[in-house]
Amino acid sequence: MKKMLKLALATLVALSMAAPAMAKTTFVTIGTGGVTGVYYPTGGAISKIVNKKRKVYGIRATVESTGGSVFNVNAIMNGDLEFGIVQSDRQFQALKGLGEWEGKPQDKLRAVFAIHPETVTLIAATDKNIKTPADLKGMTVNIGAPGTGQRGNAIDLFEAVGLKLEDMNIEGTKPSEAASLLQDGRIDAFFYTVGHPNGSIKEAVAGARKVSFVPVDAATTAKLIAKSPYYGASKIEIKSYPGITNTQDVPGFGVKATLCTSTEVSDDIVYAITKEVFENFEDFKKLHPAYSVLTKQSMLEGLSAPIHPGAMKYYKEAGLM
Ligand code: GLU
C-alpha cells in the first residue's frame, strides 16, 4: 500500500514538472501586405523577435501576405487575424467610421505601436513626361486593389489637384505586380504608399524602361494636411534607388505604418509582443533600412485608436507613458 502511494506521488510530481513544457502554444498571425513591400518584412521582423522567446511566452507568431491596410483592418475585426499592419490614416478612419468604413466605426480596433514612415509614392514611366500629379490626365494608372492602403491616398491626391477618376484609365492590381506592369508598358504610373527603400520600387527602377518619382508640391501637401490631419510632409531619398531619373530628393506627403490588433486579443499576448520589440529595439531597427529613423518615442506617435491595455502595461512599466 505504502509503495503504491509512493508511486502515485512520484507520478504526480513528474507530471507537474512536465506541465510547463506541455503548456500549449498560442498561434498568432500578423497580416502584412505584398511581398515586395515593407509590411511583409516588418511582420517577419516582429515575429522573429517574439518567436525567440517562444519558451517564455508560448507564443508562435506567423506572417501572412495580404492585400494591405484595408484588408488587415477588416480581417482583425472579423477575427481572421490577431494583428495587422495598418496605415495610420486607415487606423483613424476605421476607428471613426470614415472612408471605407463610412458610418461603421470599428470600436474594437486597438493600436499597439507605430513603425516606419510611409510616403504616398507616385512612380511613372519617364517617357510619359508626367511632371506633376495633374499630368496623369489620360494616363493608365494603377492605384491599387480595394484592400490596399494607397487606393484612398491616390484618390485624395486626385481631388487635391482637380483630377476625376474618369480622367484616367484606373487599374486596381496588387502592388507586387505593379512594377512589372510598368516595365511591360501596360501602365504608365502606379501609386504605392510605402516605406523606403523597398523591393517593389527597386524592381520598377531596375528595368529597361526609365522611371521617375512624381513630386507633390508643398502647396498641394499643405492642402491635403489641412483637410486630413493624419497626413504629413514627407520626402523620398533618391540615393536608395540608383537608376531613377530624378536628380533630387522628391517631396510629397505620407502617413505611418502602425501595428493594430483588437480588444479580443489577450493582454498577455499584446504585452509580450510589445515588450519584446521595445526591449530588443536596437536589434529590431537593424532588420530593415526603412526603420533607420525610428526612436522608441516615434513608435508611440501617430496612433489614433486607443492603445491596447497589454501594450499600455508595458509602456507604463518602461516609463514610456
Ligand atoms: N501601405 C500599403 C498598404 O497599406 C502597404 C505597404 C507595404 O506593404 O509596405 O496597403
Side-chain angles (χ1 to χ4, degrees), residues 33-34 37-39 67-69 87 118 148-150 192-194:
V38 183
Y39 286 10
S69 284
Q87 287 179 201
E118 298 189 274
T148 65
Q150 53 268 11
Y192 199 10
T193 301
V194 68

Side-chain angles (χ1 to χ4, degrees), residues 45-46 48-53 56-57 59 83 112-113 259 266-284 296 299-300 307-320:
I46 297 170
K48 187 176 169 190
I49 286 194
V50 175
N51 290 341
K52 271 194 188 154
K53 295 282 181 71
V56 180
Y57 300 114
I59 298 173
F83 293 92
V112 184
F113 47 73
L259 184 70
S266 81
D267 291 7
D268 289 352
I269 291 175
V270 181
Y271 173 83
I273 290 184
T274 309
K275 177 168 173 161
E276 288 312 311
V277 169
F278 277 77
E279 305 269 285
N280 297 289
F281 180 68
E282 291 307 323
D283 291 336
F284 178 76
K296 286 188 179 178
M299 291 180 76
L300 299 175
I307 294 178
H308 190 287
M312 190 52 102
K313 181 180 162 205
Y314 174 72
Y315 298 140
K316 289 204 168 133
E317 240 172 55
L320 288 164

Side-chain angles (χ1 to χ4, degrees), residues 8-262:
L9 215 74
T11 315
L12 260 174
V13 170
L15 265 176
S16 67
M17 275 169 43
M22 296 188 327
K24 76 168 177 34
T25 303
T26 309
F27 288 86
V28 297
T29 306
I30 307 173
T32 60
V35 291
T36 49
V38 183
Y39 286 10
Y40 188 69
T42 295
I46 297 170
S47 305
K48 187 176 169 190
I49 286 194
V50 175
N51 290 341
K52 271 194 188 154
K53 295 282 181 71
R54 186 173 178 177
K55 289 217 176 79
V56 180
Y57 300 114
I59 298 173
R60 170 104 181 114
T62 55
V63 174
E64 197 175 297
S65 168
T66 72
S69 284
V70 173
F71 177 94
N72 293 343
V73 168
N74 295 333
I76 294 168
M77 292 296 92
N78 67 28
D80 286 342
L81 291 172
E82 284 75 32
F83 293 92
I85 306 175
V86 175
Q87 287 179 201
S88 48
D89 53 328
R90 299 285 165 233
Q91 186 189 131
F92 180 93
Q93 293 175 328
L95 188 86
K96 307 228 177 239
L98 302 168
E100 325 259 344
W101 300 274
E102 189 66 57
K104 287 176 281 178
Q106 307 295 306
D107 306 317
K108 292 184 164 181
L109 189 67
R110 290 295 175 269
V112 184
F113 47 73
I115 322 170
H116 55 280
E118 298 189 274
T119 304
V120 180
T121 305
L122 172 57
I123 187 162
T126 309
D127 55 60
K128 290 289 169 168
N129 215 18
I130 300 164
K131 301 272 185 243
T132 72
D135 297 335
L136 289 173
K137 197 168 182 154
M139 303 282 168
T140 302
V141 186
N142 180 31
I143 64 171
T148 65
Q150 53 268 11
R151 200 176 168 92
N153 304 134
I155 294 170
D156 286 348
L157 179 60
F158 295 153
E159 194 191 299
V161 301
L163 276 177
K164 292 193 185 62
L165 287 181
E166 310 82 82
D167 296 336
M168 296 156 282
N169 296 315
I170 297 292
E171 294 286 343
T173 51
K174 43 185 200 177
S176 56
E177 283 164 12
S180 57
L181 291 178
L182 185 61
Q183 280 302 325
D184 293 349
R186 285 191 286 159
I187 57 174
D188 302 318
F190 73 86
F191 278 90
Y192 199 10
T193 301
V194 68
H196 292 285
N198 65 76
S200 174
I201 302 295
K202 282 191 173 160
E203 192 188 332
V205 175
R209 194 180 194 193
K210 284 276 171 199
V211 298
S212 16
F213 291 119
V214 180
V216 176
D217 63 45
T220 306
T221 294
K223 198 167 162 185
L224 283 157
I225 297 173
K227 194 171 171 222
S228 312
Y230 41 72
Y231 284 137
S234 172
K235 189 173 73 185
I236 306 169
E237 295 187 349
I238 56 167
K239 69 169 192 291
S240 312
Y241 301 107
I244 193 92
T245 320
N246 305 69
T247 52
Q248 278 169 21
D249 287 348
V250 185
F253 67 107
V255 292
K256 251 176 154 183
T258 69
L259 184 70
C260 290
T261 187
S262 101

